[in-house]
Amino acid sequence: MVLVGLCQGGWQSAIYASIFPYDVSHLVIAGAPIDFSPGSSRLVDFVHRTPIAWFQSLVDMNGGIVPGEFMRDCFKAMHYIERYWCDSLDLWNDFWILDEWEREKAIERKRRFRNWYEHSCQAIPGDFFLQVVNMFRHNKLVKGEMEILGKRVDLSNIKCPITLLAGAKDDISPPEQLFAMSNFVGVPVTEYLVDAGHIGVFMGRKAIKDYWSKIFRGVIEND
């Protein structure tokens, strides 16, 4: 099968491909950290600065889960000026700068995105959340210190071609943390860099038109 992992699903897909290497014919990872050391990431910085007891208390106070709304608000807080000020200013500008047809189109696009962004949050099991925090803090994925389903995760076990897509403006999963994957595998790796932020890597117009179409054509040709 072809396995495509976005963000959190990216390193999860890498883990799956390393444990079950013969199940995956092509691995595509986008906007996901693999090696948490290089580059500058607000997410990794936050995990390192925050005591592990704080993460544990978050799980305990919510009955063993981490609410999706908490995760959403944390990501918004990483870019609080843009999310709590610039987004509203941008909407205001649409009312005054665009003509009626362009205004309706722009506002509808923003409404659809906002509905998705604000209301698609999923709760995370507390044990899984704490395991991920420790993976980030200690860079366990590339050190071979993770054990899943009784098997040690070793990225060098991956047997299939790998395609990576990173965003040049992504400060949550910076390109360096994704492209470092080529240092830990022994298979062909194709790298693409799109001029986009984190979400733009997955659903930005330029990424979809110029990169995702190319990636899937390459996957089909390889298969």
Side-chain angles (χ1 to χ4, degrees):
M1 66 176 172
V2 175
L3 194 56
V4 180
L6 313 179
C7 188
Q8 178 175 276
W11 52 259
Q12 289 177 324
S13 297
I15 290 173
Y16 184 95
S18 70
I19 296 177
F20 305 104
Y22 296 104
D23 286 358
V24 184
S25 61
H26 199 118
L27 177 62
V28 181
I29 301 178
I34 298 296
D35 182 352
F36 305 106
S37 296
S40 177
S41 167
R42 296 190 184 195
L43 183 59
V44 174
D45 290 345
F46 172 75
V47 170
H48 279 289
R49 289 197 309 267
T50 307
I52 193 66
W54 184 87
F55 295 104
Q56 182 66 61
S57 66
L58 176 66
V59 173
D60 294 341
M61 74 173 64
N62 288 287
I65 65 169
V66 177
E69 293 80 6
F70 170 84
M71 299 298 295
R72 177 203 63 203
D73 291 343
C74 280
F75 280 109
K76 290 172 70 173
M78 289 182 188
H79 303 88
Y80 61 92
I81 294 178
E82 291 88 344
R83 298 291 78 82
Y84 294 108
W85 172 252
C86 293
D87 285 352
S88 297
L89 181 62
D90 188 39
L91 180 62
W92 177 263
N93 286 337
D94 287 344
F95 276 99
W96 293 101
I97 296 175
L98 302 178
D99 61 37
E100 183 176 358
W101 183 82
E102 290 179 324
R103 183 189 311 133
E104 291 180 0
K105 189 176 179 180
I107 292 174
E108 177 58 24
R109 184 170 62 249
K110 287 181 172 63
R111 180 184 295 114
R112 290 173 62 187
F113 176 80
R114 182 60 59 87
N115 286 341
W116 168 79
Y117 188 82
E118 295 287 342
H119 305 296
S120 62
C121 310
Q122 300 294 320
I124 301 175
D127 288 344
F128 170 74
F129 174 76
L130 294 174
Q131 186 178 21
V132 173
V133 169
N134 275 310
M135 181 185 71
F136 272 65
R137 287 171 71 94
H138 303 292
N139 209 12
K140 289 187 173 184
L141 183 56
V142 298
K143 290 181 178 179
E145 297 176 357
M146 292 188 68
E147 187 173 294
I148 306 293
L149 300 176
K151 300 181 179 181
R152 187 174 69 87
V153 177
D154 184 350
L155 296 179
S156 67
N157 288 336
I158 297 175
K159 307 298 183 185
C160 64
I162 299 172
T163 300
L164 308 175
L165 176 62
K169 301 175 182 176
D170 190 346
D171 58 358
I172 293 176
S173 300
E176 298 91 338
Q177 294 186 1
L178 175 57
F179 292 160
M181 187 172 189
S182 60
N183 299 326
F184 304 97
V185 298
V187 295
V189 178
T190 303
E191 300 176 355
Y192 293 105
L193 183 66
V194 58
D195 185 25
H198 189 64
I199 293 179
V201 172
F202 318 129
M203 55 196 302
R205 185 178 303 174
K206 183 174 181 61
I208 292 173
K209 179 182 177 182
D210 298 338
Y211 290 87
W212 280 109
S213 56
K214 183 188 300 184
I215 288 171
F216 286 122
R217 280 197 302 270
V219 168
I220 292 171
E221 290 169 3
N222 266 322
D223 283 351

